[in-house]
Amino acid sequence: IAGITQAPTSQILAAGRRMTLRCTQDMRHNAMYWYRQDLGLGLRLIHYSNTAGTTGKGEVPDGYSVSRANTDDFPLTLASAVPSQTSVYFCASSDSGPGLDYNEQFFGPGTRLTVL
Amino acid sequence: GQNIDQPTEMTATEGAIVQINCTYQTSGFNGLFWYQQHAGEAPTFLSYNVLDGLEEKGRFSSFLSRSKGYSYLLLKELQMKDSASYLCAVMDSNYQLIWGAGTKLIIKP
Protein backbone atom coordinates (compact mmCIF):
# COMPACT_ATOMS: atom_id res chain seq x y z
CA ILE A 1 0.00 0.00 0.00
CA ALA A 2 1.28 3.47 -0.84
CA GLY A 3 -0.68 6.50 0.36
CA ILE A 4 -4.42 6.16 0.82
CA THR A 5 -6.64 3.44 -0.56
CA GLN A 6 -10.42 3.35 -0.70
CA ALA A 7 -12.81 0.49 -1.38
CA PRO A 8 -14.95 -0.11 -3.25
CA THR A 9 -14.10 1.98 -6.32
CA SER A 10 -17.77 2.23 -7.17
CA GLN A 11 -21.02 0.81 -5.90
CA ILE A 12 -24.70 0.79 -6.79
CA LEU A 13 -26.85 0.40 -3.72
CA ALA A 14 -30.56 0.00 -3.10
CA ALA A 15 -32.15 2.59 -0.84
CA GLY A 16 -32.45 1.41 2.73
CA ARG A 17 -29.36 -0.79 2.60
CA ARG A 18 -26.40 -0.42 4.93
CA MET A 19 -23.01 0.30 3.36
CA THR A 20 -19.49 0.78 4.69
CA LEU A 21 -16.89 2.62 2.65
CA ARG A 22 -13.37 1.65 3.60
CA CYS A 23 -10.32 3.90 3.85
CA THR A 24 -6.78 2.91 4.79
CA GLN A 25 -3.61 5.00 4.89
CA ASP A 26 -0.04 3.88 5.43
CA MET A 27 1.55 7.28 6.06
CA ARG A 28 0.96 7.21 9.83
CA HIS A 29 -0.99 10.46 9.59
CA ASN A 30 -2.82 11.57 12.70
CA ALA A 31 -5.81 13.19 11.06
CA MET A 32 -8.29 11.65 8.62
CA TYR A 33 -11.34 13.04 6.86
CA TRP A 34 -14.35 11.98 4.82
CA TYR A 35 -15.72 14.32 2.15
CA ARG A 36 -18.46 14.09 -0.42
CA GLN A 37 -18.18 15.85 -3.76
CA ASP A 38 -21.27 16.74 -5.77
CA LEU A 39 -21.45 18.49 -9.12
CA GLY A 40 -21.41 22.27 -8.71
CA LEU A 41 -20.59 22.10 -5.03
CA GLY A 42 -17.30 22.15 -3.20
CA LEU A 43 -16.01 19.25 -1.20
CA ARG A 44 -18.10 18.98 1.95
CA LEU A 45 -16.73 17.49 5.14
CA ILE A 46 -18.81 14.66 6.57
CA HIS A 47 -16.75 13.50 9.55
CA TYR A 48 -13.17 13.80 10.66
CA SER A 49 -10.77 12.32 13.17
CA ASN A 50 -7.82 14.24 14.62
CA THR A 51 -6.27 11.13 16.13
CA ALA A 52 -7.04 7.47 16.70
CA GLY A 53 -9.92 7.03 19.12
CA THR A 54 -11.54 10.41 18.44
CA THR A 55 -14.01 11.56 15.80
CA GLY A 56 -15.92 14.75 15.04
CA LYS A 57 -18.81 15.92 12.90
CA GLY A 58 -18.27 18.00 9.82
CA GLU A 59 -20.62 20.10 7.76
CA VAL A 60 -22.93 17.28 6.57
CA PRO A 61 -22.82 14.39 9.10
CA ASP A 62 -26.47 13.29 9.07
CA GLY A 63 -26.97 9.72 7.87
CA TYR A 64 -23.28 8.85 8.25
CA SER A 65 -21.14 7.43 11.04
CA VAL A 66 -17.42 6.79 11.42
CA SER A 67 -15.01 5.04 13.73
CA ARG A 68 -11.24 5.33 14.26
CA ALA A 69 -10.05 2.24 16.08
CA ASN A 70 -6.47 2.66 14.91
CA THR A 71 -4.26 5.13 13.03
CA ASP A 72 -4.57 3.54 9.61
CA ASP A 73 -8.29 2.87 9.11
CA PHE A 74 -11.25 5.23 8.97
CA PRO A 75 -14.43 3.53 7.67
CA LEU A 76 -17.56 5.51 6.79
CA THR A 77 -20.94 3.82 7.29
CA LEU A 78 -24.28 4.71 5.76
CA ALA A 79 -26.79 3.08 8.10
CA SER A 80 -29.75 3.25 5.72
CA ALA A 81 -28.83 4.70 2.34
CA VAL A 82 -31.04 7.30 0.62
CA PRO A 83 -30.83 8.59 -2.98
CA SER A 84 -29.50 11.99 -1.80
CA GLN A 85 -26.37 10.19 -0.66
CA THR A 86 -25.48 9.49 -4.27
CA SER A 87 -22.09 11.17 -4.60
CA VAL A 88 -18.36 10.70 -4.92
CA TYR A 89 -16.78 10.09 -1.53
CA PHE A 90 -13.18 11.00 -0.83
CA CYS A 91 -11.14 9.99 2.16
CA ALA A 92 -8.16 12.16 3.06
CA SER A 93 -5.41 12.27 5.67
CA SER A 94 -2.95 14.82 6.96
CA ASP A 95 0.20 14.73 9.02
CA SER A 96 -0.83 17.14 11.73
CA GLY A 97 -3.90 18.41 13.51
CA PRO A 98 -4.86 21.83 14.73
CA GLY A 99 -2.19 24.12 16.05
CA LEU A 100 0.65 23.22 13.71
CA ASP A 101 1.83 25.06 10.64
CA TYR A 102 -0.39 23.54 8.04
CA ASN A 103 -1.78 20.18 7.21
CA GLU A 104 -1.72 19.40 3.53
CA GLN A 105 -4.38 16.80 2.94
CA PHE A 106 -3.68 13.73 0.82
CA PHE A 107 -6.68 12.21 -0.89
CA GLY A 108 -7.66 8.67 -1.75
CA PRO A 109 -8.94 7.83 -5.27
CA GLY A 110 -12.60 8.12 -4.26
CA THR A 111 -15.66 5.88 -4.17
CA ARG A 112 -18.50 6.56 -6.59
CA LEU A 113 -21.74 5.63 -4.86
CA THR A 114 -25.14 5.50 -6.49
CA VAL A 115 -28.21 4.95 -4.31
CA LEU A 116 -31.32 3.91 -6.20
CA GLY B 1 -21.88 32.01 6.86
CA GLN B 2 -18.72 30.83 5.24
CA ASN B 3 -18.27 31.28 1.53
CA ILE B 4 -15.61 30.62 -1.09
CA ASP B 5 -16.19 32.04 -4.58
CA GLN B 6 -14.33 31.16 -7.74
CA PRO B 7 -15.33 31.19 -11.41
CA THR B 8 -17.07 28.06 -12.63
CA GLU B 9 -15.13 27.69 -15.86
CA MET B 10 -12.28 29.36 -17.74
CA THR B 11 -10.74 28.75 -21.16
CA ALA B 12 -7.15 29.50 -22.15
CA THR B 13 -4.72 28.73 -24.96
CA GLU B 14 -1.76 26.39 -24.77
CA GLY B 15 1.41 28.36 -23.97
CA ALA B 16 -0.48 31.31 -22.50
CA ILE B 17 -0.95 32.53 -18.91
CA VAL B 18 -4.17 32.25 -16.90
CA GLN B 19 -5.18 33.67 -13.52
CA ILE B 20 -7.84 31.94 -11.44
CA ASN B 21 -9.33 34.11 -8.71
CA CYS B 22 -10.76 33.10 -5.36
CA THR B 23 -12.52 35.30 -2.81
CA TYR B 24 -13.47 34.10 0.63
CA GLN B 25 -15.43 34.95 3.74
CA THR B 26 -14.75 32.56 6.58
CA SER B 27 -14.85 32.42 10.36
CA GLY B 28 -11.17 32.80 11.01
CA PHE B 29 -8.25 32.20 8.69
CA ASN B 30 -5.43 29.72 9.04
CA GLY B 31 -4.22 29.58 5.48
CA LEU B 32 -5.42 29.14 1.92
CA PHE B 33 -4.81 26.10 -0.25
CA TRP B 34 -5.00 25.44 -3.97
CA TYR B 35 -5.58 21.92 -5.24
CA GLN B 36 -5.68 20.50 -8.75
CA GLN B 37 -8.23 17.85 -9.68
CA HIS B 38 -8.24 16.05 -13.02
CA ALA B 39 -11.57 14.64 -14.13
CA GLY B 40 -12.38 11.41 -12.32
CA GLU B 41 -9.37 11.69 -10.03
CA ALA B 42 -8.58 12.84 -6.50
CA PRO B 43 -7.51 16.40 -5.66
CA THR B 44 -3.77 16.93 -5.35
CA PHE B 45 -2.05 19.74 -3.42
CA LEU B 46 -0.59 22.67 -5.37
CA SER B 47 0.12 25.50 -2.95
CA TYR B 48 -0.39 27.02 0.48
CA ASN B 49 -0.44 30.70 1.49
CA VAL B 50 -0.81 32.02 5.01
CA LEU B 51 0.99 35.38 4.70
CA ASP B 52 0.25 38.11 2.17
CA GLY B 53 2.21 37.97 -1.03
CA LEU B 54 3.21 35.70 -3.85
CA GLU B 55 4.45 32.12 -3.57
CA GLU B 56 6.12 30.77 -6.71
CA LYS B 57 6.55 27.12 -7.51
CA GLY B 58 7.70 26.44 -11.05
CA ARG B 59 5.01 27.33 -13.58
CA PHE B 60 2.46 27.88 -10.80
CA SER B 61 2.26 30.86 -8.43
CA SER B 62 -0.28 31.70 -5.76
CA PHE B 63 -1.05 35.12 -4.29
CA LEU B 64 -2.84 36.07 -1.10
CA SER B 65 -4.28 39.30 0.28
CA ARG B 66 -5.82 38.64 3.69
CA SER B 67 -7.20 42.16 4.04
CA LYS B 68 -9.16 41.73 0.80
CA GLY B 69 -10.10 38.08 1.36
CA TYR B 70 -8.61 37.33 -2.03
CA SER B 71 -6.26 34.88 -3.66
CA TYR B 72 -5.31 33.92 -7.17
CA LEU B 73 -3.54 31.02 -8.81
CA LEU B 74 -1.38 31.95 -11.78
CA LEU B 75 -0.48 29.29 -14.31
CA LYS B 76 2.21 30.12 -16.87
CA GLU B 77 3.25 28.39 -20.11
CA LEU B 78 0.03 26.42 -20.14
CA GLN B 79 0.18 22.81 -21.25
CA MET B 80 -2.66 20.56 -22.31
CA LYS B 81 -2.14 18.50 -19.15
CA ASP B 82 -3.13 21.57 -17.11
CA SER B 83 -6.74 21.00 -18.17
CA ALA B 84 -8.33 20.25 -14.81
CA SER B 85 -10.41 21.76 -12.05
CA TYR B 86 -8.64 24.04 -9.58
CA LEU B 87 -10.01 24.07 -6.05
CA CYS B 88 -9.54 26.93 -3.59
CA ALA B 89 -9.88 26.04 0.10
CA VAL B 90 -9.54 28.10 3.27
CA MET B 91 -8.65 26.69 6.69
CA ASP B 92 -11.01 28.25 9.20
CA SER B 93 -10.64 28.95 12.93
CA ASN B 94 -11.42 25.27 13.69
CA TYR B 95 -8.64 24.16 11.34
CA GLN B 96 -11.21 22.69 8.97
CA LEU B 97 -10.95 23.26 5.21
CA ILE B 98 -13.80 25.16 3.57
CA TRP B 99 -13.82 24.43 -0.16
CA GLY B 100 -14.88 26.40 -3.19
CA ALA B 101 -16.80 24.60 -5.94
CA GLY B 102 -13.74 24.66 -8.18
CA THR B 103 -12.83 26.28 -11.50
CA LYS B 104 -12.78 24.05 -14.55
CA LEU B 105 -9.90 25.14 -16.77
CA ILE B 106 -10.10 24.20 -20.44
CA ILE B 107 -6.89 24.47 -22.46
CA LYS B 108 -7.21 24.81 -26.22
CA PRO B 109 -4.36 24.17 -28.70
Side-chain angles (χ1 to χ4, degrees), chain A residues 63-81:
Chain A
Y64 306 94
S65 64
V66 292
S67 62
R68 187 89 183 276
N70 57 60
T71 298
D72 298 345
D73 301 300
F74 191 43
L76 176 74
T77 298
L78 288 68
S80 178

Side-chain angles (χ1 to χ4, degrees), chain B residues 43-76:
Chain B
T44 55
F45 171 79
L46 284 178
S47 68
Y48 170 77
N49 295 71
V50 67
L51 300 176
D52 290 351
L54 188 68
E55 294 282 342
E56 296 186 81
K57 190 184 293 185
R59 293 190 298 114
F60 293 6
S61 303
S62 56
F63 172 84
L64 175 67
S65 169
R66 289 172 296 171
S67 63
K68 295 182 179 179
Y70 168 71
S71 173
Y72 67 73
L73 181 69
L74 191 71
L75 291 73
K76 303 176 184 176

Side-chain angles (χ1 to χ4, degrees), chain A:
Chain A
I1 298 177
I4 302 181
T5 58
Q6 293 184 235
T9 302
S10 64
Q11 181 76 44
I12 298 174
L13 189 66
R17 297 297 295 270
R18 180 184 179 89
M19 175 75 192
T20 295
L21 307 185
R22 299 184 298 279
C23 174
T24 299
Q25 55 104 357
D26 66 354
M27 296 177 283
R28 308 303 295 173
H29 285 171
N30 292 326
M32 296 187 76
Y33 314 85
W34 273 106
Y35 292 95
R36 60 178 290 172
Q37 187 175 40
D38 302 292
L39 196 62
L41 299 176
L43 288 160
R44 291 183 291 169
L45 183 65
I46 304 171
H47 284 286
Y48 65 94
S49 169
N50 287 331
T51 189
T54 69
T55 62
K57 294 182 179 180
E59 178 186 357
V60 289
D62 294 344
Y64 306 94
S65 64
V66 292
S67 62
R68 187 89 183 276
N70 57 60
T71 298
D72 298 345
D73 301 300
F74 191 43
L76 176 74
T77 298
L78 288 68
S80 178
V82 295
S84 62
Q85 292 177 312
T86 294
S87 188
V88 179
Y89 291 86
F90 286 103
C91 179
S93 71
S94 63
D95 193 23
S96 56
L100 297 183
D101 285 347
Y102 75 93
N103 46 358
E104 172 192 344
Q105 294 186 11
F106 296 83
F107 285 79
T111 293
R112 284 147 187 79
L113 182 67
T114 302
V115 182
L116 301 176

Side-chain angles (χ1 to χ4, degrees), chain B residues 10-93:
Chain B
M10 299 181 70
T11 301
T13 303
E14 190 177 14
I17 299 173
V18 70
Q19 178 175 310
I20 302 174
N21 295 325
C22 171
T23 58
Y24 63 89
Q25 289 180 310
T26 56
S27 56
F29 179 85
N30 284 299
L32 186 144
F33 294 76
W34 285 96
Y35 278 75
Q36 180 189 60
Q37 185 178 24
H38 286 101
E41 298 183 6
T44 55
F45 171 79
L46 284 178
S47 68
Y48 170 77
N49 295 71
V50 67
L51 300 176
D52 290 351
L54 188 68
E55 294 282 342
E56 296 186 81
K57 190 184 293 185
R59 293 190 298 114
F60 293 6
S61 303
S62 56
F63 172 84
L64 175 67
S65 169
R66 289 172 296 171
S67 63
K68 295 182 179 179
Y70 168 71
S71 173
Y72 67 73
L73 181 69
L74 191 71
L75 291 73
K76 303 176 184 176
E77 301 169 12
L78 286 169
Q79 301 176 8
M80 297 303 293
K81 68 179 181 180
D82 297 329
S83 292
S85 289
Y86 291 86
L87 313 181
C88 174
V90 173
M91 185 167 290
D92 69 8
S93 56

